[in-house]
Every structure is written in C-alpha cells, then in structure tokens.
Amino acid sequence: MTKNYINPLIIQRADPQIYKHTDGYYYLSASVPAYNLIELRRAKTLNGLAHAAPKTIWRKHQTGEMSQLIWAPELHYINEKWYIYFAASKTTEFDANGMFQHRMYVLECEAVNPMADEDNWVEKGRVVTPIDSFSLDATTFSWKDSLYYVWAQKDPDIIGNSNIYISKMANPWTLKSDPVLLTKPEYEWENRIFHVNEGPALIHHGNKIFLTYSASATDENYAMGMLTIDEDKDLLNPSNWHKSNKPVFTSDLGIHQFGPGHNSFTTSEDGEKDILVYHSRNYTKIKGDPLYDPNRHTCIQTFEWDSDGNPIFGTPTAYNYE
Amino acid sequence: MTKNYINPLIIQRADPQIYKHTDGYYYLSASVPAYNLIELRRAKTLNGLAHAAPKTIWRKHQTGEMSQLIWAPELHYINEKWYIYFAASKTTEFDANGMFQHRMYVLECEAVNPMADEDNWVEKGRVVTPIDSFSLDATTFSWKDSLYYVWAQKDPDIIGNSNIYISKMANPWTLKSDPVLLTKPEYEWENRIFHVNEGPALIHHGNKIFLTYSASATDENYAMGMLTIDEDKDLLNPSNWHKSNKPVFTSDLGIHQFGPGHNSFTTSEDGEKDILVYHSRNYTKIKGDPLYDPNRHTCIQTFEWDSDGNPIFGTPTAYNYE
C-alpha cells in the first residue's frame, strides 16, 4: 500500500533529488535559498523528510571558483563511496554573453553515513569538459558496468543557455569519452523567455531508459521534456534516443502549480510505486530576481506506466496539507 | 484530544512565533537562515505548518537602517490590523562595544488576510526608545485595555548584551511610558559566554501573568528564564515581578537537544492545551559563526500547569519523525 504524501513536501528546496539507499533511508539534497552550502537530510519515510534535521556537509569558499551560487547538489553512491555533484560559480555576475559562470564540481565521502561529519567530505575538483563553458545539473547513471555522466552545458555555437550531454566516466569525477549532445532547445515550449534544456534525470523501466529534463525559463513556462532509448542500444549514439515533441509535465494554472520541473526519481517505501520528485512555485507575482525568491517547493507524486511501458506523469498534485 | 506533534516541526526556522488567529489559522513567523526577508505561512493545524507554503511579505532594504540581519519577526493582531515587529541593522559589523547594531521596526497591514499581497504591508518606522542602543525581540501584550511593549535592549550602564524592558504603548509603533527594566543577566545560567536576556514572551494563566525569556549564548548554554506577576498588579512596577532563580527550560544533552529557547506560546487545535514553541539545535560542532549555521529548528510541545498555577515546561521533546 502506498502512503499518502503531503504536498508541498519540503518548503523552499529547489532542484530536489531524493535517493533511496540500501540502509533504509531516503536522502534529500537540493538547492538552499541562500545558495551558500550543501546539506543532506535523511528519513525512513518520504513524509519524514519534511521534518528531518539537515546536516551541512560543505560550505562555499570565501573566494574563487566555488565561492558563489551553489546549485542543485545531487548525492550518488558509486562503488561503495558517496559523491555529491554540484554547480558553483566564481561570481554572481553574468559573463560577456549574459550567462551565469558555473562549472561542475565533485565531493567524495568514504564514510558509511554521509551525514556523520562534514570533515568526511573531500573535494575531488572540477569535472573537466572539452569546452570550458557554463555547466550545471550533472547526474550519473550506472548501466551495463559503465558509469555515465549526464549534464547541462552551454555550447558557444548553439543559441541559448544550455543543452544536455552524455559521456562515459573514467572515474566519478573524470570523463573518458567526448560529450555527446542529446537534446537542445528546439520546440516552442523549450524556448519560452530563455532557450533552456537542463536538470536531466534518468530512470530505467521495462526495456527502456528515460531521460527527463527541464526546459524554458524557471517561471510558469518551466516544463519537463523527455528522451527515450531502447535499453539494448548504445547510450552514446544520439540517434538511438527519441525526443518527445511535447512536454511531459507542465504547470497547472487552475491549482496554482507553476513551473514544475528539475525532477528526480525515487520509489515508494514498499518499493511498489515510482515517484516523481520536482519543485514548483505557487505564485507568479515575484518582486525582484526570481532566483532570490525562495519559494520553489519540493513536491512528490507517484506515477504510472502505460501499456507501452512509457511513464504517465499526469499533472502536478494540488497542495494537500491541512 | 490533543494531536501528536512532529518534532522538529519546522526545519531551519529560528526565533519561532506561532499565532492562532480567529480565522482558524495558525500563523508562523520566524527568522529565515539568510536573515534577508520576512515571510508568513499559515495552516489549520500545527503539523500542517511544516508544509504550508510561505509568502514573502517584506524584503530588506538595499542600504540603510533596515538593510541587514532581519531577526525574529513577530505577527500581532491589534485593533483589527496586523502588525509585524522585527529587528534590523544597517550593517553586519559590530559597533565599538562589540555589539550588533539592531533597532526595532514595525510593519502594518489592514487586509483581512495578511498573506494576500506583499503590497498590503506598509512600514510604520522605528520604535523609538529613550536610549538609542541595540534593541531586538519585541513583543506586545494586551492587558486591561492597555497595549504593552516588551523587548530586549542594551543599556550602556549595564554589563552585557541586553536586558528585558516593558513600556505602555500610545499606538502599535509608539511608546507612551518610560521603559521599565524587568530583568538583566544576574545568575550564572544567564551569563554563560555572553550576558544575555532576550526573546520575551508572555502568557496569562489563572490569576498570574508569566514572562519567559532566553539567557546566555545561543549555543547549548541558551536557556529559558521566567518572571511572574499577579494579574492584579501594575505591570510597570518591577517590584511586582518575581524572577525565578533557576532556568525553566534547558538543553537535554542525552537526546541532543541543545539551546532550546526564544520561545512563544500557542494552544492546541481544540484549545485544550497550552503549547510551548521554541527553537533548538541538534548538534554543537559548528564550523564558523553559529549565526550562519542554519540548523536551529522550530519545535513545539504541550505543557501542563501545577497546582499553584505555574507552568511545568519539562524538558525538550526528542525528535520523533520517521
């Protein structure tokens, strides 16, 4: 039996990732409103995450390349070690092209409990890519004994903010193959206000692998797109991926759910149901820069699969707290 | 029947105030980790506050006297208007005496729903006191057709950070009597690391009025003290108040509840039980300035009254989320 989940689940956590580990805990990582540190929390139930006391495990540097705008940390467990992938910038200013200046970085922890002590986390440095440009939202995916890195990055030759790439990894902080472009903003719903593909997340189901991502500006236009590949095909060949021409998850203006996206996936406590994890806003009138309006909230909802084995995400769940 | 409350109730909200209004909602206001804005949230149950989407109702100024370190906002409903009392500084720096430089300010809202629109809130300015010094943590208390202002302030002639004062108000943002000193740090438990009396809260029960406050540094030494007065006595005569020589609520090291305090009071959903609202930390090892470690969490617990009509706060409740 699947429990009823309370939405919004976590107040003021954007870019949420929930990882269910073999130790029986759900771990939450997400962007914090001040973008100044990385924290983890854990609970044995998804609803429990709303009350779980966070532990700061890394703080931004005073100066230099990891000193500003710490975005979208993701926790991964690879070869019995913990890793956190996060984007950081040297400045809050835009570059000459009007872009943020983030790059991707990796932390490693060998302790069994990743929240035991901040001192257990060590910096493994920047994930170097052939092009040195705005990079963010990296995730990893283990498949057929290979580790893949999937992330968003600016290509100076492609209009817009970022596209989604995949590469094999030599180790959890080093690429070993050239980045392969999987999707760039093409459709109208990917180019509203800003040309954006970001926030990739992967899930395997049946004989397919699905890659969801988020498109357009992070206001009510923000929406989730999806790529699909047969599980037997080479993930590094872009022609093996099919891109949906419509978004798979969008705002529901009627229930004041605006800009759902930057999703991840987990499963219910009993393992029976797949769960979509995302953030959304409940109002659109924002004073000043939306980046500094803290009210993107983490929501979760179960989703089903159709007879062809494709996900049916439905629409955002209305708030249901009392 | 009193519901079971989940602790910690609200993650990363310090100096919590929960106000139960006649509209059936509990309203929460508190310091946010970035100390950069004032937000409100509301829910029909106390547990619901954990999931209630906040609304920003005021943002710190870019420069000037309300531009830094927005602390401890409290929501009050006086003569059918809403007021928020908050401390703000012109700088994050200490003054020549090593003190923060906060003063107290007031916002007013005439709308029925205080969360309807940020534009409904107007600045009423600073609460002027005879001495121009570090001021914070103001609350109000309506008693026998008079409105009282109770707050913490530095007196240059008294050692330490702040003492607790009371005054009558001419209107919700103006004093009409001289401040009367009710308590200053005197006992050992009020002078640990820092000499502090702050965070006053008032509650009427039986034929007495109780004023709780918080003392010492905001680490595991932070503790609640209490003053008591007979309800028939003049609140402005300090000799009418009895000060407890021991703290009434302290850390419980065994269950990792450190520095409980900066409390307020509310009642259970059915109105049958009084509830203590406070913040505490669950660890003491903090890197850097504790002010910027966001992990003071809001906790709540019911409390009882003894046969003499005095409160029995007990000890902090252990975390009980799953």
Side-chain angles (χ1 to χ4, degrees):
Chain A
M1 196 182 72
T2 297
K3 297 180 63 160
N4 291 318
Y5 299 117
I6 305 176
N7 276 320
L9 182 67
I10 315 282
I11 295 300
Q12 296 183 353
R13 288 297 180 273
D15 314 320
Q17 183 228 17
I18 297 177
Y19 166 66
K20 189 182 185 181
H21 190 50
T22 54
D23 62 3
Y25 284 102
Y26 289 98
Y27 289 84
L28 170 77
S29 70
S31 299
V32 303
Y35 307 123
N36 62 340
L37 54 78
I38 297 173
E39 63 176 25
L40 293 174
R41 68 175 83 181
R42 69 179 187 179
K44 293 194 170 173
T45 69
L46 286 160
N47 282 338
L49 287 172
H51 299 271
K55 174 82 174 177
T56 302
I57 62 90
W58 184 85
R59 295 148 204 273
K60 72 181 180 69
H61 295 190
Q62 289 294 314
T63 56
E65 60 179 356
M66 287 181 268
S67 65
Q68 294 289 348
L69 297 177
I70 310 308
W71 285 359
E74 279 203 17
L75 179 68
H76 291 258
Y77 191 71
I78 302 165
N79 297 332
E80 302 191 331
K81 294 181 186 175
W82 294 99
Y83 295 91
I84 287 177
Y85 296 83
F86 67 100
S89 186
K90 63 185 177 187
T91 173
T92 59
E93 303 296 314
F94 296 136
D95 65 15
N97 299 316
M99 302 284 298
F100 281 112
Q101 304 190 42
H102 290 70
R103 302 293 185 271
M104 283 299 309
Y105 301 88
V106 185
L107 307 177
E108 184 186 67
C109 168
E110 299 192 18
V112 171
N113 176 1
M115 294 174 58
D117 195 321
E118 181 172 345
D119 294 332
N120 290 339
W121 284 91
V122 296
E123 295 175 0
K124 302 301 287 187
R126 182 172 151 195
V127 180
V128 176
T129 53
I131 300 176
D132 180 24
S133 64
F134 178 57
S135 304
L136 68 165
D137 291 352
T139 191
T140 70
F141 187 65
S142 293
W143 186 247
K144 291 182 179 172
D145 298 324
S146 288
L147 182 66
Y148 292 86
Y149 185 70
V150 181
W151 75 104
Q153 187 164 356
K154 167 70 178 175
D155 180 337
D157 294 332
I158 298 177
I159 192 170
N161 291 44
S162 60
N163 318 298
I164 308 257
Y165 298 87
I166 189 170
S167 175
K168 274 195 180 177
M169 302 195 93
N171 61 43
W173 58 94
T174 311
L175 304 191
K176 78 169 176 189
S177 70
D178 283 338
V180 172
L181 175 65
L182 293 186
T183 172
K184 62 183 179 182
E186 296 167 287
Y187 297 109
E188 181 275 335
W189 54 270
E190 297 180 295
N191 288 290
R192 293 183 184 174
I193 303 181
F194 295 115
H195 314 283
V196 170
N197 280 183
E198 65 181 21
L202 291 103
I203 185 170
H204 176 234
H205 180 79
N207 57 3
K208 298 174 189 170
I209 296 165
F210 302 88
L211 187 164
T212 55
Y213 61 94
S214 296
S216 290
T218 62
D219 58 9
E220 64 269 32
N221 292 303
Y222 209 50
M224 277 170 50
M226 189 171 76
L227 307 179
T228 308
I229 191 171
D230 185 287
E231 66 172 1
D232 295 326
K233 299 287 178 61
D234 177 8
L235 304 190
L236 296 183
N237 182 344
S239 67
N240 290 334
W241 291 87
H242 168 74
K243 178 173 175 173
S244 302
N245 59 8
K246 293 178 182 172
V248 294
F249 199 64
T250 61
S251 293
D252 187 333
L253 308 188
I255 58 165
H256 304 285
Q257 289 296 305
F258 303 109
H262 213 298
N263 77 291
S264 62
F265 296 106
T266 189
T267 57
S268 59
E269 286 82 351
D270 61 8
E272 294 293 312
K273 289 287 187 185
D274 288 295
I275 290 175
L276 177 67
V277 181
Y278 60 97
H279 74 237
S280 65
R281 293 189 185 274
N282 68 324
Y283 57 88
T284 55
K285 183 183 175 185
I286 292 173
K287 287 195 174 181
D289 187 340
L291 184 64
Y292 299 105
D293 180 293
N295 290 317
R296 291 180 291 176
H297 307 305
T298 298
C299 294
I300 64 172
Q301 60 193 62
T302 59
F303 64 93
E304 304 296 330
W305 301 89
D306 70 17
S307 56
D308 293 328
N310 298 315
I312 309 168
F313 295 123
T315 58
T317 301
Y319 286 174
N320 61 355
Y321 65 91
E322 292 185 341
Chain B
M1 196 181 71
T2 297
K3 296 179 63 160
N4 291 318
Y5 299 117
I6 304 176
N7 275 321
L9 183 66
I10 315 283
I11 295 300
Q12 295 182 354
R13 287 298 181 273
D15 315 320
Q17 183 228 18
I18 296 177
Y19 166 67
K20 189 181 185 182
H21 191 50
T22 53
D23 62 4
Y25 284 102
Y26 289 99
Y27 289 83
L28 170 76
S29 70
S31 299
V32 303
Y35 307 123
N36 61 341
L37 54 78
I38 296 173
E39 63 176 25
L40 293 173
R41 67 175 81 181
R42 68 179 187 179
K44 293 194 171 174
T45 69
L46 286 161
N47 282 338
L49 287 172
H51 299 272
K55 174 82 172 176
T56 302
I57 61 91
W58 183 85
R59 295 147 204 273
K60 71 181 179 69
H61 295 191
Q62 289 294 315
T63 57
E65 60 179 355
M66 286 181 268
S67 65
Q68 295 289 349
L69 297 176
I70 310 308
W71 286 358
E74 278 204 17
L75 179 68
H76 292 257
Y77 191 71
I78 303 164
N79 296 332
E80 301 190 332
K81 294 181 187 176
W82 295 100
Y83 295 91
I84 287 177
Y85 296 83
F86 67 100
S89 186
K90 61 185 178 187
T91 173
T92 60
E93 303 296 314
F94 296 138
D95 66 14
N97 299 317
M99 302 284 298
F100 280 113
Q101 304 190 44
H102 291 70
R103 301 294 184 273
M104 283 299 309
Y105 301 88
V106 185
L107 307 176
E108 183 185 68
C109 169
E110 298 193 18
V112 171
N113 175 1
M115 296 174 56
D117 195 320
E118 181 172 346
D119 294 332
N120 290 339
W121 284 92
V122 297
E123 295 175 359
K124 302 301 285 187
R126 181 172 151 196
V127 180
V128 176
T129 53
I131 300 175
D132 180 24
S133 64
F134 178 57
S135 303
L136 68 166
D137 292 351
T139 191
T140 70
F141 187 66
S142 293
W143 187 247
K144 293 182 178 173
D145 298 324
S146 288
L147 183 65
Y148 292 86
Y149 186 70
V150 182
W151 74 104
Q153 186 165 357
K154 167 69 178 176
D155 180 337
D157 294 332
I158 297 177
I159 193 169
N161 291 43
S162 60
N163 319 297
I164 306 242
Y165 298 87
I166 189 170
S167 174
K168 274 194 181 179
M169 303 195 93
N171 61 44
W173 58 95
T174 311
L175 304 191
K176 79 169 175 189
S177 70
D178 282 337
V180 173
L181 174 65
L182 293 185
T183 172
K184 62 183 180 181
E186 296 167 289
Y187 298 109
E188 181 274 336
W189 54 271
E190 298 180 293
N191 288 289
R192 294 185 184 173
I193 302 181
F194 295 115
H195 315 282
V196 170
N197 278 183
E198 65 181 19
L202 291 104
I203 185 170
H204 175 236
H205 180 81
N207 57 4
K208 298 175 190 171
I209 296 165
F210 302 89
L211 187 163
T212 55
Y213 62 94
S214 296
S216 291
T218 62
D219 57 10
E220 64 269 31
N221 292 304
Y222 209 51
M224 277 170 50
M226 188 170 76
L227 307 179
T228 308
I229 190 170
D230 186 287
E231 66 172 2
D232 296 326
K233 299 287 178 64
D234 178 9
L235 303 191
L236 296 183
N237 182 345
S239 68
N240 290 334
W241 291 86
H242 169 75
K243 179 173 176 173
S244 302
N245 59 8
K246 292 179 182 170
V248 295
F249 199 63
T250 61
S251 293
D252 187 333
L253 308 189
I255 58 166
H256 304 285
Q257 288 296 306
F258 303 109
H262 214 298
N263 77 292
S264 63
F265 297 106
T266 189
T267 56
S268 59
E269 286 82 351
D270 61 9
E272 295 294 313
K273 290 286 186 184
D274 289 295
I275 290 175
L276 177 67
V277 181
Y278 60 98
H279 74 236
S280 65
R281 292 188 185 275
N282 68 324
Y283 57 87
T284 55
K285 183 183 175 186
I286 292 172
K287 287 196 175 183
D289 187 339
L291 184 65
Y292 298 104
D293 179 294
N295 289 317
R296 291 181 291 176
H297 308 306
T298 298
C299 294
I300 64 172
Q301 61 193 61
T302 59
F303 65 92
E304 305 295 332
W305 301 89
D306 70 16
S307 56
D308 293 328
N310 298 314
I312 309 168
F313 296 122
T315 58
T317 302
Y319 287 174
N320 60 355
Y321 65 91
E322 291 185 342

